[in-house]
Amino acid sequence: ERNSDSFDNRFVLVYVRSPSNTSIGFTFFDLTILKFYTGSIKSKKRNLMHKFRTLLMQVRPLECVALHAELSKDTAKTIRSI
């Protein structure tokens, strides 16, 4: 019998930032149950990365996928910190 406490979801994150840096669209793909979840974060520039960091800390994806142009220094630092 499988212990439910040992069950960990494994996510892959795909995201894109708006040109104005006021929103981030994202998709999390859950590799354990083969489902995906989509959403977006909208905020002023100064709060956007804080909200994105909070999301990453809650979900803790195994891998992050983004266009090279989308990966700013702030975003790369946030992703490396998890």
Side-chain angles (χ1 to χ4, degrees), residues 36-74:
F36 65 93
Y37 309 92
T38 61
S40 64
I41 302 169
K42 295 180 183 176
S43 185
K44 295 179 181 177
K45 289 181 186 180
R46 62 179 180 215
N47 294 329
L48 187 62
M49 288 311 296
H50 176 71
K51 290 182 177 184
F52 186 59
R53 186 178 301 112
T54 300
L55 176 69
L56 290 177
M57 294 305 288
Q58 291 174 349
V59 176
R60 296 197 176 268
L62 295 174
E63 190 170 335
C64 298
V65 179
L67 297 174
H68 180 69
E70 298 291 327
L71 193 60
S72 69
K73 288 181 182 180
D74 288 340

Side-chain angles (χ1 to χ4, degrees), residues 5-59:
D5 293 336
S6 67
F7 181 77
D8 292 327
N9 289 15
R10 302 191 189 293
F11 293 99
V12 173
L13 165 69
V14 179
Y15 75 94
V16 63
R17 290 174 70 165
S18 68
S20 63
N21 283 334
T22 57
S23 65
I24 295 176
F26 58 86
T27 299
F28 283 104
F29 182 69
D30 187 338
L31 300 172
T32 55
I33 59 173
L34 303 177
K35 289 192 176 189
F36 65 93
Y37 309 92
T38 61
S40 64
I41 302 169
K42 295 180 183 176
S43 185
K44 295 179 181 177
K45 289 181 186 180
R46 62 179 180 215
N47 294 329
L48 187 62
M49 288 311 296
H50 176 71
K51 290 182 177 184
F52 186 59
R53 186 178 301 112
T54 300
L55 176 69
L56 290 177
M57 294 305 288
Q58 291 174 349
V59 176

